[in-house]
Every structure is written in structure tokens, then in C-alpha cells.
Amino acid sequence: ARFGGQNTFLGMVKKRQFGRAGAQVVICVYFEGQRLATYLNKLVLNSTWEYFNLFGLTPIHREYAALQSMPYLSESLVQEILHPRPALSRALRSTEVRECMQAHSLNQPQAESVVAAMNREHGFTLIQGPPGTGKTKTILGLAGALLSASKRSEPSSKRTAEQANNKLLICAPSNAAVDEIVKRLKSGIRNSSGRTFFPRVVRVGQPDNVSSTVRDTTLEFLTQKAMDAYGSNGTQRDPKISTAQSELLLDIVAQTHAAGKAAGAKDTQRSAHEQQRALRRQLDEANAEIRELDNQMQTVDPSNTAALSELRDNFRKVKGKKRSICQQLDQQRERARDASKTMDETRHAVRMQILQRTDIL
């Protein structure tokens, strides 16, 4: 193809490697017929080409993976996707729309979208709008309305396990879009009464792709914070993270059975590592003493049987001491491994507790 008087072709980036001298990019292209001969003569070392990034393939890969997961979905959901039936939307009551506008600070089209989604009993609600029409604000209003409805339907003092697992999952096609929603959620959303509240939010994804402004909401950050709190004064609120996230951590740390188990494992692990360091020093001293005795036995007069016998006795004693130290080292390593296993089990339990106790993922 020719564009702007120049030869052009499509390619797919397969690999990128960055170094001090620059970047190395591997591009996969496909030519056939005459084009293959034409470009083989041009795609040579030290040739210069200009490139333009058209689009990324990650969303397409995700869509393909979602289609491939269809066999693992419930049959009713599969039928909803493959054979959608337009639901008859009932007329929205003007009072509901006005109340939604006031409670969640929305304009009329945004409030109508929220009310229509809340009134739908099954299926999907599609909300479409050009840039700048407030789709993100509508999402925040819908999240506030859904969480308010969930809180009203479950008494806080008697929440069943099934109710406790009810939570919102908010997705977006890019990490930047997810981070923007999380930032707004951290700033607070309104409930059905118009009061601002701060939901518990957990940001799921690769930590390297998460903005630093919402790093305190990631599952990895919260898990590590909870683990660090065990065995220390974990009831103090960390001023560096939001109030909602602090309350979430305090709830997790307040689980005394997990706290005691984790604190004991941390103390055992710390003690085992200290013992290993001390034993390694003793082992080094024993090895140095063995080398010294060995040198002395090599240089002693063979006719001096008394001195040679004494050196051999000392050599056997030091060798026995070394065996004892090695056995103790093995025991301390086993203690450290058991403690590490307990810590891993506790870390997994903490992650599950965080996911169960959050409001929004």
C-alpha cells in the first residue's frame, strides 16, 4: 500500500526490549507475492523506517478470552448474552428521578440512567454517551445507589455470610480509567439520603500498572499492611491511607485468631533467623579451629605421640561440636520453614478477608 507517496505496511509488535543504547523491537509482518520481493530488498540492516502506533491488541485479546470462557458461565447468563431479549422498560416515575438527582447530585439524563438500572431485575443495562456527558459520574451515582440499597436490605448487626459477600465489581478497558474511578470513590460518594460516605475499595490488578495515587487500595498493599500490623501495635490508624481503607485493615487485624497465629509465626521466624546467624558464626569458628588443628597435626613431630594424641582428641571434639552445630542449624531452618508456611497461610487468609469485607472491587 502507498500512503502519502510512501510505501507502508502493517505490523504487529511481538517483543520490546529497552536498554541503555536504545530499544529493540521485534515486529511481525506478512507479505505475499510481489510485495514480499519488494520489501525484502528494503527491510535490511541500518535502513530507516517511520512507524505509527494504530491501536493495542490487549482489549481484543481480553474480548477473545471472554468469549473462550463462555462454556464456564452459567447457562442462564450464556443465553442472556447469545440470545438477548430487549426488556420492556417501565415508565420512570418523576419522583424517583428527582430524588435520585438530589441524592446523588446528577442531572436528569444521568439520574434516569441510574433509576432505570436500579429497576432492572435481570439482564444488562447499557448506558451510552459521548465524552464529557458524565458517564463516570453516573457510575459513581449508580454505585452509591446500589450500596445504599444493599445496606438497607441487611441489618448491620446480623449480616449473613451470603450478604457479606455481596459487592460491586467495576471494570474498565484501561488501567488509567480504573484508577480514575478509584480516585473518585476514595473521595466519597453519596448514598440515597444524599450523605457522603466512603466505601471500602480494593483495586485489583498488576501493581506496576496502578497509579501511585491509588496504590493504598491495591490488594497487595492492604495485605502487606495487615501482615505488618500483626505482632505490632496494629490498632493505630495509618494517616497515609484513607479512612475507609484504615477501617478495613482494623477489621482484619481485629481477628484475634489470625492475629495470634501470625504474630506467633513472625516471632518464631525472627527467632529462627537470629539463631541461624549465631550458629553460622559458631560454625565458622569451628571450621577455623578444625583447619588450625589439622595444620598442627601436619607439622607436629610424629615421634611426639603425646602431643599428637592430644591434637587428635581435640580434633574429634571440634568435629563433634561441628556436627552438633549443623544439627541445630537444620532444626532452625525447619522452624523458619514452618513459620514461613504459617505466614503464607495467614497471608492467604488475610487476602480472602479483605476481599470478603470490601464494598467495591
Side-chain angles (χ1 to χ4, degrees):
R2 296 184 66 84
F3 179 78
Q6 298 181 357
N7 291 317
T8 61
F9 58 89
L10 285 174
M12 181 176 67
V13 176
K14 299 289 290 184
K15 180 181 178 182
R16 291 180 299 177
Q17 186 173 357
F18 298 93
R20 293 182 178 179
Q24 184 179 25
V25 182
V26 178
I27 301 177
C28 179
V29 297
Y30 175 74
F31 300 123
E32 61 181 7
Q34 185 63 32
R35 295 191 73 211
L36 177 61
T38 301
Y39 282 101
L40 278 178
N41 296 328
K42 296 183 178 181
L43 291 171
V44 295
L45 289 175
N46 298 322
S47 61
T48 302
W49 294 81
E50 294 182 0
Y51 76 93
F52 179 75
N53 185 17
L54 290 177
F55 55 86
L57 294 176
T58 299
I60 298 175
H61 289 162
R62 290 173 178 167
E63 292 171 4
Y64 178 75
L67 290 174
Q68 289 292 97
S69 69
M70 293 282 283
Y72 305 99
L73 302 178
S74 65
E75 183 62 27
S76 59
L77 182 57
V78 171
Q79 293 303 318
E80 288 279 357
I81 296 172
L82 296 181
H83 307 288
R85 293 169 298 168
L88 297 176
S89 301
R90 68 177 181 85
L92 303 179
R93 294 201 299 268
S94 58
T95 54
E96 286 183 309
V97 176
R98 283 198 302 271
E99 289 173 358
C100 183
M101 292 172 62
Q102 295 174 358
H104 302 289
S105 186
L106 302 174
N107 59 31
Q108 184 171 342
Q110 294 168 347
E112 289 175 349
S113 300
V114 171
V115 173
M118 292 293 294
N119 290 339
R120 187 175 297 279
E121 297 180 357
H122 62 86
F124 300 93
T125 298
L126 302 180
I127 302 174
Q128 185 179 8
T133 53
K135 293 187 295 296
T136 302
K137 190 173 183 180
T138 304
I139 291 174
L140 300 177
L142 182 57
L146 288 169
L147 290 177
S148 298
S150 176
K151 302 291 184 185
R152 286 197 306 268
S153 63
E154 51 183 67
S156 58
S157 59
K158 297 181 179 180
R159 298 180 66 186
T160 65
E162 182 178 357
Q163 289 170 333
N165 285 330
N166 288 336
K167 48 187 58 64
L168 299 181
L169 174 64
I170 299 179
C171 305
S174 68
N175 286 295
V178 174
D179 292 339
E180 179 61 28
I181 293 175
V182 173
K183 279 195 291 185
R184 298 204 193 184
L185 289 170
K186 285 178 60 178
S187 300
I189 55 178
R190 295 190 178 195
N191 60 18
S192 57
S193 302
R195 296 189 182 93
T196 299
F197 72 102
F198 301 90
R200 297 175 172 184
V201 183
V202 174
R203 169 74 160 90
V204 180
Q206 290 294 333
D208 294 340
N209 297 329
V210 178
S211 169
S212 59
T213 57
V214 296
R215 191 68 52 82
D216 63 321
T217 64
T218 59
L219 182 59
E220 289 72 16
F221 178 91
L222 294 171
T223 301
Q224 190 58 50
K225 273 288 183 182
M227 295 297 293
D228 292 343
Y230 290 141
S232 62
N233 189 4
T235 58
Q236 292 183 347
R237 181 180 179 275
D238 189 341
K240 297 180 181 179
I241 62 178
S242 65
T243 302
Q245 307 310 99
S246 292
E247 292 175 353
L248 176 60
L249 286 174
L250 292 175
D251 282 352
I252 302 300
V253 177
Q255 301 298 309
T256 53
H257 63 282
K261 188 177 181 182
K266 286 182 69 173
D267 292 340
T268 300
Q269 194 175 48
R270 188 182 304 111
S271 172
H273 288 158
E274 291 174 355
Q275 290 289 333
Q276 287 181 60
R277 285 192 291 269
L279 289 169
R280 287 193 188 99
R281 288 193 293 269
Q282 296 179 28
L283 184 61
D284 292 340
E285 293 173 359
N287 285 328
E289 194 172 350
I290 288 173
R291 287 193 297 270
E292 178 64 24
L293 289 170
D294 187 59
N295 291 333
Q296 291 179 16
M297 286 190 293
Q298 296 293 333
T299 59
V300 70
D301 186 357
S303 62
N304 191 348
T305 57
L308 188 60
S309 176
E310 182 181 359
L311 287 173
R312 287 172 177 170
D313 289 341
N314 291 336
F315 187 84
R316 284 192 293 269
K317 289 178 183 178
V318 177
K319 290 285 285 187
K321 178 182 177 181
K322 179 181 177 180
R323 283 194 297 271
S324 175
I325 293 172
C326 290
Q327 291 174 357
Q328 294 179 61
L329 262 175
D330 291 338
Q331 294 173 358
Q332 295 303 323
R333 291 192 187 102
E334 187 66 27
R335 283 185 67 206
R337 280 194 294 268
D338 291 342
S340 178
K341 182 179 178 181
T342 301
M343 293 291 289
D344 289 341
E345 293 172 351
T346 306
R347 182 181 296 274
H348 176 73
V350 166
R351 288 168 66 93
M352 296 306 297
Q353 285 284 329
I354 291 172
L355 292 175
Q356 289 174 2
R357 292 173 177 271
T358 190
D359 296 318
I360 301 176
L361 287 170

